[in-house]
Amino acid sequence: MIARRILALLPEETAPVPATQAVNLSERERGILGMVAQGYGNREIAELLGLSRLTVEAHTRNIYRKLAVGSRTAAVFEARVLGLLP
């Protein structure tokens, strides 16, 4: 909320790039992020998608890095703020 207020004070030419351009998640990462938002754990996601748990963990780390967050909760929150999740 504070960040939005600060961004509203900036001149328009320095406005951030829209989320769809700023955060470039792959289709797989978007799918995994959606499942994380639904409350699935890495092991459950791996079983449902037919992937190894380590692969899901690697995708999750990539999502964290791209969204600049450090937890599942923060990733879901940031993705919702950016319009990547409903």
Side-chain angles (χ1 to χ4, degrees), residues 25-69:
L25 296 179
S26 69
E27 286 296 318
R28 178 66 80 185
E29 290 167 344
R30 283 189 214 135
I32 289 173
L33 181 59
M35 295 178 90
V36 167
Q38 293 175 16
Y40 290 102
N42 287 347
R43 188 171 304 231
E44 293 170 309
I45 294 170
E47 289 174 8
L48 290 169
L49 296 179
L51 302 171
S52 78
R53 181 183 49 82
L54 296 175
T55 299
V56 172
E57 288 174 4
H59 284 302
T60 304
R61 280 192 306 273
N62 289 337
I63 293 166
Y64 290 179
R65 181 181 47 80
K66 290 178 180 182
L67 294 176
V69 298

Side-chain angles (χ1 to χ4, degrees), residues 64-80:
Y64 290 179
R65 181 181 47 80
K66 290 178 180 182
L67 294 176
V69 298
S71 70
R72 296 170 88 75
T73 305
V76 171
F77 176 79
E78 189 66 23
R80 286 201 170 122

Side-chain angles (χ1 to χ4, degrees), residues 4-15:
R4 284 189 203 143
R5 287 183 183 173
I6 292 171
L7 290 174
L9 297 173
L10 293 175
E12 278 196 41
E13 64 264 9
T14 61

